[in-house]
Amino acid sequence: MASEYIRGTTVRKPNKKRVERPVHVHETERRGRRHHMSLGYLLFLTLALVLMLGTLAWYISLQSEIKNSVKYVAELESRLNNLKQDNDEAYNRANGNVDLDEIKRIAIQEYGMTYASEGQIITYSDEGGNDYVRQLAPIPGSGGK
């Protein structure tokens, strides 16, 4: 019936009787072989797995380095803050021990220093900057001082 040619637009109803074919042994073996992987595909999967594991190990080591660096930076910042605190305390102690009136008295009485008069003060402008300046030669118009 499979080789008959059917004419027309109507389709005949299939025969409801089912014919069971005997299963041959070599067909089941063929099905099992379909699921086997070729050697090339197996090598590709192995290489991909090795690359993935290598990348994962590299990523984990990178994360560990970053974590250690962050801890080290935090430790250094803590040490810097402690040093700044110690420095501020030492500066305040040093300034607390200075008596400006005593320094003024010693400068005037023991060393003969006096306040500058009007003609002695000369003001120079460094064009708006607040830089530290060293005098390497006499200033013109100051009388060589």
Side-chain angles (χ1 to χ4, degrees):
M1 195 167 191
S3 64
E4 284 184 25
Y5 182 76
I6 301 174
R7 294 177 190 237
T9 58
T10 60
V11 179
R12 294 183 184 170
K13 292 183 180 179
N15 202 358
K16 291 196 178 191
K17 292 182 184 175
R18 207 169 207 198
V19 179
E20 291 190 25
R21 293 186 335 196
V23 178
H24 296 291
V25 175
H26 66 276
E27 286 181 6
T28 57
E29 289 176 3
R30 219 181 298 155
R31 282 188 207 155
R33 287 184 191 165
R34 285 185 208 159
H35 298 294
H36 288 325
M37 292 184 261
S38 68
L39 181 62
Y41 186 65
L42 188 62
L43 289 175
F44 169 75
L45 287 179
T46 305
L47 179 65
L49 181 66
V50 167
L51 284 175
M52 183 186 70
L53 290 175
T55 304
L56 181 64
W58 174 74
Y59 180 75
I60 290 173
S61 69
L62 204 60
Q63 288 285 14
S64 175
E65 285 180 29
I66 289 171
K67 189 175 181 181
N68 289 338
S69 296
V70 167
K71 284 182 181 178
Y72 183 66
V73 167
E75 179 184 328
L76 289 177
E77 285 177 348
S78 173
R79 287 177 47 195
L80 176 65
N81 287 335
N82 290 339
L83 288 173
K84 281 183 179 181
Q85 240 178 358
D86 293 345
N87 190 32
D88 290 344
E89 289 173 5
Y91 179 76
N92 289 336
R93 275 195 312 270
N95 280 341
N97 293 336
V98 174
D99 184 14
L100 295 179
D101 291 330
E102 180 65 17
I103 292 174
K104 180 180 171 184
R105 185 194 64 75
I106 293 173
I108 292 173
Q109 291 177 1
E110 294 182 20
Y111 296 112
M113 298 177 86
T114 59
Y115 286 102
S117 64
E118 286 293 322
Q120 290 179 321
I121 299 173
I122 301 173
T123 305
Y124 289 93
S125 173
D126 61 351
E127 297 171 0
N130 290 332
D131 294 335
Y132 176 77
V133 178
R134 284 191 184 172
Q135 181 179 343
L136 300 176
I139 298 174
S142 67
K145 293 182 182 177

